[in-house]
Amino acid sequence: WWRAGLAALVAGSVVVPLSGAVRPGVPAPPPARVADDVPLAARYAAHRANAAEAARTAEAAGAGRRAAALRELAAPGRDFLEFDAHGAGTTAEVLGDPRTATRVAVLVPGSDTGIDTYARFLRGARALRERAPADLAVIAWLGYPTPGTVSTDALTPDLARTGAAELRAFLGRLTTYGFAARTPVALLCHSYGSVVCAQAAHGLGPRGGPRVTDIALYGSPGTGFDRAAELRTRARVWAGRGARDWIAEVPHVRAELPGTTVGFGADPVTAAFGARRFDAGDGGHSDYLEPGSAALDNLARIACGRTPEVPRV
């Protein structure tokens, strides 16, 4: 679909609807209001209670699948720094203790990620947490409305711009949630999430503001930039792609059309783009955080500030 759809769009034979795909809404309560100085345990409890209320609201509206997913999020031991059940849902769930973390990895998801599909996203976050040392806190950050894979939204950077602003704001709130100032942060950005991270990267780095030391782009359709240098970040920029990832078939083109941009340009794993390469193994598009995979091992190294293995020739 990506190959045929993008080629047709660039050729001008398809009109791009700027509104994108609309997801049907499910009623939800207002998000919990939690003051900045509230202890972490109370913050987590407030968001779990809000998820439980959202589950009851969804059940009453006949949205059984959403209600079941929300009940999972409301279970004891789930630690949300942020949570809102409106729309597809936004969350920031932390695995690990912000107060003792010496490094942070923020996972930025791609298409078709929301409360209904959150379990898939969480599996990857848990796999990374289990693979890394105990002092790495992993944050499953679902802070923007992700596009549907089969939608025109997935072909444009519009939602990525929204996501980038939300991501930068979230990074600025980390100290509010108990992380020590200047704790090193790695952004691990999958698929369309790599477009979000590229849009957010300007000015991020080891100095000034959140200390972002590494940005890893994997399963990326492109970033909207021709070269890594154009991201204007002092963080190390990494790129990797699994040998069986269908995203390799996406045409790496970008076209300016009336009112929007279609496509994301240069392939981040090429030498011309200029990112540091890491070995992403032989997996497919959804396999990067699979336990035992080369991609997971190397993403864990990047998250911990260590040098990953380079691709095999």
Side-chain angles (χ1 to χ4, degrees):
W1 180 88
W2 266 87
R3 175 182 284 274
L6 185 55
L9 286 166
V10 172
S13 61
V14 176
V15 176
V16 181
L18 301 183
S19 59
V22 178
R23 292 171 175 165
V26 176
R33 293 182 176 273
V34 186
D36 289 351
D37 58 353
V38 166
L40 278 174
R43 180 180 299 278
Y44 298 154
H47 290 311
R48 286 196 299 269
N50 187 254
E53 183 182 357
R56 293 189 292 270
T57 302
E59 191 71 54
R65 180 185 178 191
R66 171 63 64 88
L70 286 163
R71 284 193 291 270
E72 289 291 327
L73 304 189
R78 302 298 293 271
D79 295 339
F80 289 96
L81 302 171
E82 300 177 359
F83 178 81
D84 187 348
H86 286 89
T90 56
T91 71
E93 183 171 9
V94 61
L95 310 178
D97 190 342
R99 296 162 298 190
T100 60
T102 62
R103 295 192 68 89
V104 186
V106 179
L107 297 184
V108 180
S111 302
D112 288 321
T113 307
I115 285 176
D116 293 342
T117 59
Y118 187 79
R120 177 188 64 196
F121 183 39
L122 181 64
R123 281 196 298 272
R126 284 176 168 167
L128 178 64
R129 179 68 208 85
E130 291 169 4
R131 181 66 184 81
D135 60 352
L136 175 74
V138 176
I139 298 174
W141 181 81
L142 173 57
Y144 77 108
T146 68
T149 299
V150 183
S151 74
T152 54
D153 283 334
L155 299 176
T156 76
D158 298 343
L159 290 179
R161 295 190 184 104
T162 299
E166 296 293 343
L167 178 58
R168 290 179 67 93
F170 175 74
L171 293 174
R173 293 193 292 271
L174 287 178
T175 54
T176 299
Y177 301 141
F179 291 97
R182 312 299 297 143
T183 301
V185 176
L187 302 179
L188 307 185
C189 318
H190 179 236
S191 193
Y192 190 87
S194 65
V195 188
V196 174
C197 289
Q199 292 281 342
H202 184 188
L204 296 179
R207 302 176 182 175
R211 191 184 174 198
V212 177
T213 60
D214 297 270
I215 300 173
L217 316 172
Y218 52 103
S220 175
T223 64
F225 298 91
D226 292 327
R227 297 182 303 277
E230 294 176 6
L231 274 60
R232 300 177 66 184
T233 174
R234 292 184 179 274
R236 293 180 291 262
V237 179
W238 304 89
R241 185 169 63 223
R244 293 186 292 110
D245 190 341
W246 58 262
I247 206 78
E249 301 300 319
V250 173
H252 292 284
V253 296
R254 184 171 65 252
E256 299 293 335
L257 299 181
T260 192
T261 301
V262 174
F264 304 109
D267 186 346
V269 301
T270 60
F273 185 75
R276 304 169 188 234
R277 294 285 306 281
F278 71 91
D279 181 11
D282 58 1
H285 192 64
S286 300
D287 300 335
Y288 289 93
L289 296 176
E290 282 295 310
S293 68
L296 176 62
D297 288 349
N298 284 317
L299 287 168
R301 288 187 175 97
I302 292 171
C304 294
R306 295 160 47 201
T307 302
E309 296 177 352
V310 299
R312 293 165 289 185
V313 177

